[in-house]
Every structure is written in C-alpha cells, then in structure tokens.
Amino acid sequence: MIRVVLPAHLKMHANVNGEVMLAVDGPATQKSLLDALETNYPVLRGAIREQGTLKRRAFVRFFACQRDLSHDEPDAPLPDAVASGAQPFLIVGALAGG
Amino acid sequence: MAGVRLLVGTRKGAFVLTSDEARKSWDVSGPHFAGWEIYHVKGSPIDENRIYASQSSSWFGQQIQRSDDGGKTWQPVDNTFAYDGVPGTHQWYDGTPHPWEFKRVWHIEPSTTEADTVYAGVEDAALFRSNDGGKSWHELAGLRGHGSGAHWQPGAGGMCLHTILIDPSDAKRMFIAISAAGAFRTEDGGESWKPINRGLKSEYIPDPEAEVGHCVHRLAMHPSRPNVLFMQKHWDVMRSDDGGNSWREVSGNLPTDFGFVIDVHAHEPETIYVVPIKSDSEHFPIDGRLQVWRSRTGGEDWEALTNGLPQSNCYVNVLRDAMSIDTLDSCGIYFGTTGGQVYASSDSGDTWAAIVRDLPPVLSVEAQTLR
C-alpha cells in the first residue's frame, strides 16, 4: 500500500484523518497514485490536478524521501520507498510567505 | 419559527447567523470550510433548506458545496466548470488576446421556479447552469459568444460575472453583470444575450459610451418591478426603467458615487441603499465614517444612515455581494465589511448594530427570510 499525506485543507475536504492508504494498479507513478487517490476520493478531483488537463495545480507540491518530485514526469516511477509504503508521498500546499 | 438566516462568506470560511423575527439576538455557526475562501453562499427561494456555497482556494481550486438542511451539514457536488467548445480569447490587461481560463465561482443564483436548477457566475466571465442540484454544470455559451466577448477585459479584481438577477415574472428573462464588460440581458433562458449598457459613461475607457467595457459593480431589482433596475457602477449610481435598454444617473447628492453594493427595500420599490466608498484606490469610507445612504425616491435624493455605525476611524470596505435584505414586515438590511463586521438594521436602515465584529474579511452576505 502507498501512504499519502494530504494537506490540511484537503484532509478536511475529503473528511480524512491521518494518512491515506492506497493500492495502485500497475507501476507506481505519480499519475497512477493520483488516479487512485481521486477514484477513492472523488471530491479531490480538481483540487490537486487541474480538471481536464490533469496538470499539477501551480501551488501544489509533491515531496517524498527528502526530494521534491513536483517536476517529475507523471509517468516516472515513484521512489521504491514510496511504492513499498516505507515512506509517505506528501502532497503539500506551497508556502505563501508573508 | 419565523426569523432570518444570514449566509456569510468570508476569506477564511462560511458562517451562518440565525435570529428570530426580532433580530436582536443572533446565533453564530461556523466557520464552515475553515481556511477556504467562500465567495458566496445562497439559499433556494423554493426550498429554504437548500443552500449552495462557492468554496475556493488559490492552492486547491474550486469546490461547490450543497446543504439540504439549512446549513447544518454539507456535501460537495460537481466542481467541473468547462467552457463550451474551444473557449477562445478575451483581452488581457495589456490589450493582447488571452485564453479564457476558469478561476472561481463568484456568485450562485438558485432558480426561482425549479428546485434543482441553479446558476453560477464565474471568473473568467461566463454563466453556468446546473439542472440537477449542482451535480453537473454546463455553460450557457451564448453569453460569451454573443459577439463582444473577445473584447471584454478584466478589472482589477479579475474578469468576474458577479451578478445574476432572475425576473420573477419570467424565469427565462435574466440580467447579469460582468466587471469590466457591463450588463447583459437574456429573454430566452440564457441562449442569447444582449448588452444593455446604453446611457453608461465611463471615463476610464477609450470610448466612454462604448457598448461594452463598463465596470459594473452590482445590479439590483425589486421583484415587483422587473423592468426597474438599479446599478452601482465603478463610478455612478444608475437607474433603468426599461429593463436595461437605457440608463440614467441617479447619484444625486451622494458624497461620492463610487461603491460596490446596491440593494432595494423589500416593500418599497423606490427605496434603495448604497454604501459610498472613497476612490480611486483608497476603497474605504470617506473620513473614516461608515455610512449607508438611502434614497426613498429611487435615486437622486439621498440621506445618510449613521445611527449605530462607526463614525470615526473606520477604514473598511463593503464588497459587491456583501449587502442583503430580508422580507419581514419591518424590512431588515444587512451588510458585511472587509474588517469582519456584519451590521444589521431591522428598521429599514434607521438604526444599526453589529451582529459580529471579528470575522475574517466578509465577501458576501445573503439573507434568508424563514417562515
């Protein structure tokens, strides 16, 4: 199972406490992970990726294993530690400053 | 129990304020959707327990929430606002073509006749309709496609469709307003549209009397007289007696004719309210004195209403969707400020009191009269 940590706004919106545990069909990639997340939590459609284009929203970041994965290709494999569930995949709202 | 429910949208959540007919003591519920911007919350005139909320975030996009129990519980409904066909372009701030891009829902207007029909005015300016209680949305593309859409340009706050008025005598007849394009009317339920801006003069655009390009801040209408429209424009308070075919200025003795809100008394169609705001750029009350101005003559002759409102050191704004009225026998008037206050008058504006003083900046206020 892949572990996903949502930002506070989306935990509230999806009525989630703690981490989300996801089973992904096929290779574990950003796209397959987010597809699975949106299938399990349809209210998150459009909140992480834009409707239609499925591009990452501008102020959303993906972190894991002390790395910024935000600019990785959607079909690139996730780190083994994320795919195995050893490390969580963090969905983060970009800092606003101020 | 008869009373009033105020639906308040703020920068950081929604609040529901409830009172009995006396409107002296208020129960405050919220924040709902804490941390999200709530541009607008509005109840159905057919079913007072059916309420919609526009919930948005620069980070996480647009959501629409629906309540079927008067705001106690909420369910997300569809948040897909896809422009019809190839959206094309409008003008950007520098005059270059810019693709239409959905940003957020500014205003929600439930139908006056169909329980599951609801309209949404969005940025970039377009009108959407749902016929299934918000479970799906489709654009009424005749508005953007009527001919002038490619020439619309955003105002400082974005290119938003912020006002939707439905003619109570004919649900297919509607009026909408866009900043900074102007006002438009449909007679066929939104299939086709006509600009209704004749008589408006805006010195801040190249042709002050152009067919489109006017920064209309708000329209208001009394339900008994759907051909009489009132408008708070960027500058100028305007009136039309022919359904928007022509407009004349009724700013009269207002201390400034800039402002955002305008509304009409529930039982006196010639009694209207505005909140004059100092501009350009200050966008706070003149001399720090918060005043509602009332005309009992449909404009031109205005009086300041100050009893209970701060008359010194007040530098808040009252945004375009942040005034509303109830329809109780003694008409209630309500408005919210960017300082987080919601003020109420239960006597047509003669006296005022703050219901709450420290909410996040208020974006919208809608009053529901409970029977």
Side-chain angles (χ1 to χ4, degrees):
Chain A
M1 300 290 274
I2 294 180
R3 298 158 53 199
V4 177
V5 176
L6 295 173
H9 283 66
L10 297 187
K11 280 183 182 173
M12 179 178 64
H13 185 58
N15 198 22
V16 165
N17 292 312
E19 295 180 350
V20 173
M21 307 298 286
L22 290 176
V24 172
D25 291 333
T29 65
Q30 265 184 35
K31 182 176 184 307
S32 65
L33 181 153
L34 294 172
D35 286 348
L37 180 64
E38 292 175 358
T39 299
N40 282 275
Y41 298 92
V43 296
L44 295 180
R45 289 177 183 152
I48 299 165
R49 301 184 291 185
E50 292 176 358
Q51 301 268 19
T53 67
L54 298 184
K55 288 182 179 174
R56 174 180 52 84
R57 290 186 59 81
F59 297 160
V60 172
R61 294 288 183 270
F62 303 139
F63 298 159
C65 306
Q66 290 78 52
R67 286 178 50 209
D68 182 355
L69 309 181
S70 307
H71 303 288
D72 287 5
E73 291 297 321
D75 290 321
L78 291 172
D80 290 342
V82 173
S84 68
Q87 291 286 325
F89 182 86
L90 308 178
I91 299 175
V92 178
L95 293 180
Chain B
M1 179 188 73
V4 174
R5 183 192 291 142
L6 291 185
L7 307 171
V8 180
T10 81
R11 288 271 181 222
K12 292 293 179 183
F15 296 82
V16 179
L17 285 49
T18 312
S19 176
D20 61 16
E21 280 184 281
R23 291 160 288 178
K24 300 299 182 192
S25 175
W26 294 82
D27 174 69
V28 179
S29 156
H32 303 276
F33 326 116
W36 293 74
E37 288 189 309
I38 308 298
Y39 266 62
H40 196 215
V41 190
K42 189 152 189 180
S44 164
I46 300 171
D47 175 1
E48 67 187 25
N49 285 321
R50 169 71 64 85
I51 301 171
Y52 298 92
S54 170
Q55 170 191 0
S56 66
S57 154
S58 296
W59 285 261
F60 307 116
Q62 177 70 51
Q63 303 291 335
I64 299 290
Q65 298 276 354
R66 188 179 105 186
S67 174
D68 290 314
D69 57 10
K72 295 184 182 71
T73 62
W74 299 83
Q75 292 296 322
V77 288
D78 187 37
N79 63 343
T80 307
F81 291 87
Y83 293 107
D84 187 58
V86 178
T89 61
H90 59 80
Q91 282 199 45
W92 196 230
Y93 292 100
D94 60 3
T96 59
H98 189 82
W100 239 277
E101 295 173 331
F102 173 81
K103 295 185 179 64
R104 61 176 57 84
V105 173
W106 278 66
H107 185 94
I108 299 171
E109 192 66 34
S111 166
T112 55
T113 55
E114 304 290 336
D116 281 334
T117 296
V118 55
Y119 298 89
V122 313
E123 177 189 357
D124 289 335
L127 183 64
F128 285 77
R129 181 168 63 198
S130 171
N131 295 322
D132 53 14
K135 293 176 184 169
S136 64
W137 298 90
H138 67 275
E139 186 192 5
L140 298 173
L143 174 60
R144 284 189 311 117
H146 86 95
S148 70
H151 304 290
W152 298 353
Q153 205 164 14
M159 197 170 78
C160 52
L161 194 161
H162 51 70
T163 301
I164 304 168
L165 299 178
I166 302 172
D167 182 340
S169 64
D170 177 2
K172 288 185 175 298
R173 190 166 185 259
M174 295 188 288
F175 307 88
I176 64 95
I178 296 168
S179 292
F184 299 82
R185 185 182 70 217
T186 180
E187 308 274 356
D188 57 12
E191 295 300 314
S192 63
W193 294 83
K194 173 185 175 184
I196 50 168
N197 300 303
R198 188 175 302 151
L200 306 186
K201 292 182 182 175
S202 301
E203 301 296 339
Y204 47 79
I205 57 178
D207 175 3
E209 299 181 53
E211 183 181 45
V212 298
H214 303 274
C215 192
V216 176
H217 284 178
R218 191 71 179 160
L219 300 177
M221 172 181 73
H222 191 276
S224 70
R225 297 196 310 180
N227 272 329
V228 179
L229 301 175
F230 297 100
M231 174 192 292
Q232 173 67 68
K233 194 162 66 67
H234 188 96
W235 298 103
D236 304 332
V237 177
M238 308 294 293
R239 172 186 178 128
S240 172
D241 289 288
D242 53 14
N245 289 335
S246 63
W247 296 87
R248 61 187 170 90
E249 187 176 358
V250 293
S251 305
N253 61 320
L254 287 171
T256 169
D257 54 13
F258 185 97
F260 289 96
V261 296
I262 188 164
D263 218 329
V264 187
H265 192 285
H267 313 301
E268 302 169 13
E270 288 290 298
T271 297
I272 56 178
Y273 302 86
V274 297
V275 179
I277 295 291
K278 190 172 189 298
S279 193
D280 275 342
S281 86
E282 293 98 330
H283 289 195
F284 47 63
I286 296 172
D287 297 330
R289 303 169 65 204
L290 182 57
Q291 302 182 338
V292 176
W293 282 64
R294 175 175 64 195
S295 171
R296 291 192 181 278
T297 56
E300 291 293 356
D301 299 316
W302 298 85
E303 59 180 327
L305 308 175
T306 62
N307 190 344
L309 298 176
Q311 294 305 294
S312 64
N313 303 320
C314 182
Y315 293 95
V316 298
N317 197 356
V318 180
L319 300 178
R320 70 187 80 225
D321 233 342
M323 176 177 267
S324 189
I325 59 153
D326 69 36
T327 58
L328 293 175
D329 289 344
S330 178
C331 178
I333 321 289
Y334 309 90
F335 69 94
T337 78
T338 54
Q341 301 85 33
V342 177
Y343 291 100
S345 168
S346 58
D347 54 11
S348 301
D350 291 338
T351 60
W352 296 87
I355 301 173
V356 284
R357 290 190 175 277
D358 298 301
L359 297 185
V362 174
L363 302 176
S364 61
V365 174
E366 290 288 350
Q368 283 188 295
T369 308
L370 307 176
R371 302 292 184 183

